[in-house]
Amino acid sequence: MRNYLRKLGWPALILAILSIVIYACSKNESAGPEKIPEGRQKVSLMLTDDPGLFDKVMIDIRKVEVLIDTCTRNNDDDDDDDDWDDRDRCGWWEDWRDRDHDRDCDVWDSLGIRPGVYDMLQLRNGVDTSLATGVIRKGRIHKIRITLGSENSLVKDGVTYPLRSVNGQVKIIVKVRHNEWDEVTPDNLQLWLDFDVQRSIIRVSNGRFILKPYIHVWTVRQTGSVSGKVLPADAQSVITVYNTADSLYALPGRNGDWKVRGLKPGTYSVFVNAGNGYADTTITGVKVERAKDTRLPDITLRK
């Protein structure tokens, strides 16, 4: 190596070093914040799951769109459309009262997705996946519309059942408020859609299940999480994190780890519903803070 450098000579060596420095600087500059064209905004939707007592829940997602008010761009502006109850957040498009928008300002824009069948139960205990993203027209987003395909099903006790809507509806509407998004930058928005399996699937008869979608909306920066470990695994525990405002669920993994995300700041109780002869247990006074994970001590259940 030293002989090679002598042959190269100092002038050439200095030139080589300068070339490396210039290249490194250009790489650092190119790795800066993403540039979004004027009059546009980037939107990213993440998909996660609040689990239910099934082996698998397969949802066939074909298309994701957002409804944008292109005339309202200032988040401080008043908006009567945001004045609604969380229980009215989600429903089928065909049943939606306010499904037609006559104003020229209201436009639907499509996001880029990977169409396919998603197993909701793979997205639990802190796991999520990118559902849709895209650079769209700028404005305030009021609704998300998810179009489903025909390959929706669930597996319970090793048996596969078709999963249908009541009247063959295929489009789910999720209402969102302008202040519910995480702003990576003012023109780069993120949101998590939490598919609540336990509330979304209704058993109407033996071998017949109906999909009635119930979706939580949350962001990492505005909510917190609670996590822990429950042993032994053969207790087949179901975790409920709840307070007077809401309740969310978790099913521990094989090693007993569990996590519930999307919790509004406040004080919660954690109920461990155990099976196979193990005693239930409850932990009270669990404090949840914004953008933080509250890790509980390991819980060992006894018979």
Side-chain angles (χ1 to χ4, degrees):
M1 181 67 179
R2 291 180 179 177
N3 292 334
Y4 174 76
L5 292 176
R6 289 195 190 99
K7 292 179 181 179
L8 189 63
W10 286 110
L13 181 60
I14 292 172
L15 181 60
I17 293 173
L18 287 175
S19 299
I20 294 172
V21 171
I22 292 171
Y23 175 71
C25 290
S26 65
K27 284 188 70 178
N28 289 337
E29 290 176 358
S30 64
E34 180 180 359
K35 292 184 179 179
I36 298 173
E38 186 176 353
R40 311 284 285 184
Q41 61 184 342
K42 181 178 179 180
V43 172
S44 301
L45 298 177
M46 306 297 292
L47 183 65
T48 187
D49 166 55
D50 197 11
L53 299 177
F54 304 97
D55 302 332
K56 294 182 179 181
V57 175
M58 313 299 292
I59 302 297
D60 185 5
I61 300 178
R62 293 288 131 189
K63 188 176 183 179
V64 177
E65 305 162 277
V66 290
L67 180 66
I68 314 163
D69 178 0
T70 58
C71 297
T72 303
R73 302 193 177 186
N74 185 347
N75 284 346
D76 294 330
D77 291 342
D78 293 331
D79 193 341
D80 293 336
D81 286 346
D82 286 346
D83 187 19
W84 42 266
D85 191 280
D86 282 348
R87 291 172 295 182
D88 192 35
R89 180 185 291 279
C90 185
W92 289 108
W93 173 253
E94 286 79 357
D95 293 339
W96 209 259
R97 298 176 184 177
D98 188 29
R99 64 178 181 267
D100 296 320
H101 288 261
D102 298 328
R103 296 193 309 159
D104 293 336
C105 295
D106 293 327
V107 295
W108 286 99
D109 214 337
S110 296
L111 299 178
I113 71 164
R114 179 176 56 84
V117 179
Y118 292 76
D119 183 359
M120 296 293 108
L121 296 189
Q122 295 296 320
L123 307 175
R124 63 181 186 178
N125 294 326
V127 178
D128 54 39
T129 188
S130 176
L131 172 63
T133 186
V135 177
I136 60 175
R137 281 165 281 196
K138 195 166 185 179
R140 185 177 293 173
I141 299 172
H142 291 290
K143 293 182 177 71
I144 300 166
R145 185 164 66 191
I146 303 171
T147 302
L148 303 184
S150 59
E151 301 300 318
N152 303 292
S153 63
L154 63 85
V155 179
K156 185 173 177 59
D157 300 327
V159 180
T160 300
Y161 301 91
L163 188 56
R164 310 294 186 197
S165 59
V166 177
N167 295 314
Q169 299 101 321
V170 296
K171 295 182 180 180
I172 300 171
I173 287 291
V174 184
K175 298 176 75 173
V176 293
R177 299 180 177 90
H178 67 272
N179 61 355
E180 290 181 317
W181 296 82
D182 266 349
E183 289 191 1
V184 180
T185 65
D187 294 329
N188 191 345
L189 309 177
Q190 289 184 339
L191 191 68
W192 271 254
L193 303 181
D194 191 343
F195 190 93
D196 192 329
V197 168
Q198 192 70 17
R199 301 180 187 180
S200 296
I201 297 176
I202 301 172
R203 185 169 189 163
V204 293
S205 63
N206 188 26
R208 186 163 176 251
F209 294 87
I210 296 297
L211 178 62
K212 185 178 180 181
Y214 192 103
I215 296 176
H216 297 283
V217 168
W218 56 271
T219 62
V220 171
R221 297 183 183 183
Q222 298 181 39
T223 64
S225 62
V226 176
S227 62
K229 175 180 283 191
V230 173
L231 296 172
D234 67 345
Q236 299 180 353
S237 304
V238 178
I239 311 296
T240 306
V241 181
Y242 67 95
N243 60 14
T244 56
D246 201 3
S247 58
L248 295 175
Y249 306 92
L251 297 178
R254 293 180 180 177
N255 61 354
D257 286 329
W258 60 272
K259 189 172 188 177
V260 172
R261 299 192 297 171
L263 296 166
K264 296 179 180 179
T267 302
Y268 291 79
S269 294
V270 175
F271 174 61
V272 181
N273 186 2
N276 289 334
Y278 288 90
D280 300 340
T281 187
T282 301
I283 301 173
T284 60
V286 178
K287 187 177 181 181
V288 173
E289 299 180 73
R290 186 176 285 108
K292 292 183 179 180
D293 177 57
T294 301
R295 179 76 183 185
L296 299 181
D298 292 355
I299 300 171
T300 301
L301 302 172
R302 306 293 181 187
K303 288 191 176 181

